[in-house]
Amino acid sequence: MTAARSHDGPGPLRRAGRATGRALRSPFTGTARGIRKATHAHGAGESGLGKLIELHAVNGAGDVMITVALASTVFFSVPTDEARGRVALYLAITMAPFTLLAPVIGPLLDRLPHGRRAAMAGAMLARALLALTMSGAVATGGLELYPAALGVLVSSKAYGVVRSAVVPRLLPPKFSLVKANSRVTLAGLLATGVAAPIGAGLQTIGSAWPLYGACAIFIAGTFLAFSLPHKVDSAKGERRARLIDPHGEEPVPPPAPKPSGLRKDRLRKDGLRRNGGKPAKERPPGLRSVGGSVFHGLQANASHRALSGFLIFFLAFLLREHPMAGQSAAVSLAIVGVSAGVGNACGTAVGAWLRARGPEVIIATVLGLALGTAVLAAVFFSTAAVAALGAVAGFTQALSKLSLDAMIQRDVPEEVRTSAFARSETLLQMAWVVGGGIGIALPLNAVLGMSVAAGILALGAATSVRGLLGAARRGTPHPRVA
C-alpha cells in the first residue's frame, strides 16, 4: 500500500505548497529574467558589458543607502544652523582631503592595469566594511563618522574611475562608447531610484539599518566584480595619457613620408645638437596630439559638474530654510531631486539616441541651454524655476558627459584611451568638490545663489565654447567610431 502511494507522486498538500512557492517566486524570478534580458541585449551579454551594467546598478544602490543614512544624521536630524555647520565639517574632513587624493587616483590605477577587477572588488569590499564601521557612529554623529565617510567617498570615486576605464574593453560589435555608457548610467539611475525608498524605509527602523543594507549590497558587488571577463584586466597596447592644454587647435597633419637614409642621419644629428648631444627622448602621448576637442569638452563638463555640486548643497539648505510655496522642506527637496533625476535619465536616453553625432556641437548647445536656464532662474526665481533648473542641470550634465565620452573614443588613440578616461573622471570629481564648497559657503539668498550658478556656467562657456565650435567646423582628422 505504501509503495503504491509512493508512485502516485506528491500528495495534494505538497502540490499546493509547491504551487504557492512558485507563485510567490514568480514576480522575483520574472523580474530578474527581465533585467538580465535587458542588460544582456544586443551583444552586451557576450562581450561582458551586461555584467558591468549589473555591477554599476549594485554600486548605485549601495551608494544611495549610505547617502540616506548620512543625510538623516548630518542634515535632517538637527536645526538648520547646526546642520550647516555639520555639512561644512563633513566637507572639510572628507572633501578637502579628497581634493588632494583625487589627482593620485588616476595615476595609481594606471599602475594596476592587470588588476581592474580586483580594484573594483576592493572598492566594493572597502565600502562594505566602512558601512559597518559607520553604523556604530551614525546615531551619535561622532567625529569618527567623518574619516569613514572619506573612505567611502574615495572608494566610490576609485570605482568610478576604473569603471570608465573598463567600458572600452567590453564594447560589443558595432556598439559606440556613448551608447554603452548610456546603458551603464541608466542602470545606475534606475537602481538608485529603487534603493532610495528602501533605504528610507530602513531608516524608520533604525539609523544604522540603511548602512546594514549597504554592507550587504557591496558584499554582493564584490563577488560580481570578479565575474567580469578576464579581458578587463588586459592592458595590451595601453600607454598613459596626459591632460595638456592644447593652445594650438590645428588638426594633426598626416604623417610625413619616411626620410631617406642620408636625410635620416642629418635629422638625427640636428636632434643631437638641439638636445646638447643627447638623443631626443620619445615624448609620451598626450591629448595635445589629438587636437583641442577633448580638452575643451572636459572644460565644459567641469562646469556642469561644479554646478551639480553647488546646487546639491546650496538648494538643500535654501529649501530647508525657505521651502517652496505650500510645501514642506522635505517635499521641496524631493521635487528638486526628482526633477534632477528625471532630467538625468532623459539626457542619458537622448545621448544613446544621438550616438556620436557632432559631440562638440552637442556640448556647446547644452552648456548654452543650462546657462540660459540659470539666468532665468536668477531673474525670475520661483518654485517652477528651481525645479526647471534641477531638471535642465541633470539633462545637460548627462548629455554633455556622454558626448565627452564619444570624443575620447573618437580622438584619443586606443593605446592611451583607458588612461585618458581615468584622468578625465578624476578631474570632473574635483570640479564637483569645488562646486559643493561654494554652495556651502554662500549665504542663503536665492537670487545670489542662482546668479552664482549662472556664473559657473558662464565661466565654462567662456573657456570652452569657442574652441568646441571651431573644432566642429574644422572637423577631425580621426575617423569617427560608429
Side-chain angles (χ1 to χ4, degrees):
M1 190 69 175
T2 304
R5 286 182 179 177
S6 65
H7 290 291
D8 290 339
L13 290 178
R14 185 175 296 178
R15 286 197 300 270
R18 290 181 178 177
T20 303
R22 284 194 297 270
L24 293 175
R25 290 195 307 269
S26 180
F28 300 100
T29 57
T31 301
R33 283 195 296 268
I35 293 173
R36 175 57 62 92
K37 184 178 179 180
T39 57
H40 286 57
H42 304 107
E46 291 78 3
S47 71
L49 181 64
K51 291 282 183 68
L52 182 62
I53 291 173
E54 293 168 355
L55 178 64
H56 192 63
V58 168
N59 176 79
D63 274 346
V64 78
M65 289 279 191
I66 292 181
T67 301
V68 168
L70 287 177
S72 61
T73 302
V74 176
F75 183 73
F76 286 108
S77 62
V78 294
T80 302
D81 292 338
E82 186 178 346
R84 195 164 190 180
R86 283 196 179 191
V87 175
L89 181 63
Y90 176 86
L91 279 179
I93 296 179
T94 60
M95 299 296 187
F98 177 72
T99 60
L100 301 177
L101 293 174
V104 182
I105 292 177
L108 178 63
L109 294 174
D110 267 345
R111 299 179 182 276
L112 301 173
H114 299 288
R116 296 190 183 108
R117 294 186 303 167
M120 285 191 285
M124 292 283 181
L125 182 59
R127 280 178 286 174
L129 298 176
L130 288 169
L132 283 181
T133 302
M134 294 165 66
S135 64
V138 72
T140 61
L143 288 179
E144 65 270 19
L145 178 68
Y146 298 98
L150 171 62
V152 169
L153 178 67
V154 172
S155 298
S156 179
K157 302 315 177 186
Y159 162 83
V161 168
V162 179
R163 190 263 301 170
S164 296
V166 162
V167 172
R169 290 282 176 186
L170 300 178
L171 286 180
K174 299 181 181 179
F175 228 73
S176 69
L177 187 60
V178 64
K179 184 175 181 179
N181 276 284
S182 296
R183 286 198 178 187
V184 174
T185 303
L186 274 177
L189 290 173
L190 292 173
T192 298
V194 172
I198 296 175
L202 292 174
Q203 182 69 30
T204 61
I205 301 175
S207 57
W209 279 91
L211 295 169
Y212 296 149
C215 178
I217 290 172
F218 285 131
I219 288 176
T222 302
F223 291 100
L224 187 58
F226 284 113
S227 70
L228 292 172
H230 289 282
K231 61 184 176 181
V232 165
D233 291 332
S234 172
K236 184 179 180 180
E238 292 183 5
R239 300 173 71 180
R240 299 177 191 171
R242 295 177 297 139
L243 294 176
I244 305 174
D245 182 359
H247 298 291
E249 308 275 348
E250 293 300 321
V252 179
K258 293 183 178 180
S260 62
L262 180 62
R263 178 164 173 74
K264 188 183 297 185
D265 183 63
R266 186 181 302 166
L267 289 173
R268 184 182 63 81
K269 291 179 180 179
D270 289 342
L272 289 174
R273 282 197 298 271
R274 284 194 299 269
N275 288 278
K278 298 179 181 179
K281 295 181 180 180
E282 181 186 357
R283 295 183 62 186
L287 297 186
R288 184 191 297 275
S289 63
V290 295
S293 294
V294 172
F295 181 81
H296 290 304
L298 185 58
Q299 287 177 316
N301 272 268
S303 65
H304 284 291
R305 197 64 68 90
L307 175 69
S308 173
F310 172 79
L311 290 180
I312 286 174
F313 290 101
F314 180 76
L315 290 179
F317 289 109
L318 178 69
L319 296 177
R320 180 173 177 177
E321 190 72 16
H322 307 288
M324 295 179 178
Q327 305 293 340
S328 66
V331 172
S332 300
L333 289 171
I335 291 174
V336 176
V338 170
S339 298
V342 171
N344 202 316
C346 291
T348 303
V350 171
W353 175 67
L354 288 173
R355 297 177 182 268
R357 299 169 189 165
E360 295 93 347
V361 176
I362 293 173
I363 293 176
T365 301
V366 297
L367 185 56
L369 174 62
L371 176 57
T373 306
V375 171
L376 290 175
V379 176
F380 306 104
F381 182 81
S382 64
T383 299
V386 172
L389 180 58
V392 171
F395 177 86
T396 55
Q397 177 182 318
L399 190 51
S400 184
K401 179 60 168 66
L402 292 171
S403 299
L404 174 64
D405 291 343
M407 290 194 300
I408 292 177
Q409 181 196 26
R410 183 195 69 191
D411 291 351
V412 177
E414 184 178 1
E415 65 268 19
V416 296
R417 191 180 298 155
T418 298
S419 179
F421 268 109
R423 280 160 170 74
S424 65
E425 185 65 24
T426 300
L427 290 176
L428 292 179
Q429 297 299 341
M430 292 175 66
W432 187 91
V433 171
V434 172
I438 296 173
I440 287 292
L442 204 67
L444 297 181
N445 181 287
V447 175
L448 175 62
M450 297 303 99
S451 300
V452 170
I456 292 172
L457 293 171
L459 179 62
T463 57
S464 64
V465 169
R466 183 179 178 183
L468 286 169
L469 296 180
R473 284 194 300 268
R474 288 190 301 270
T476 174
H478 307 279
R480 291 182 182 271
V481 182

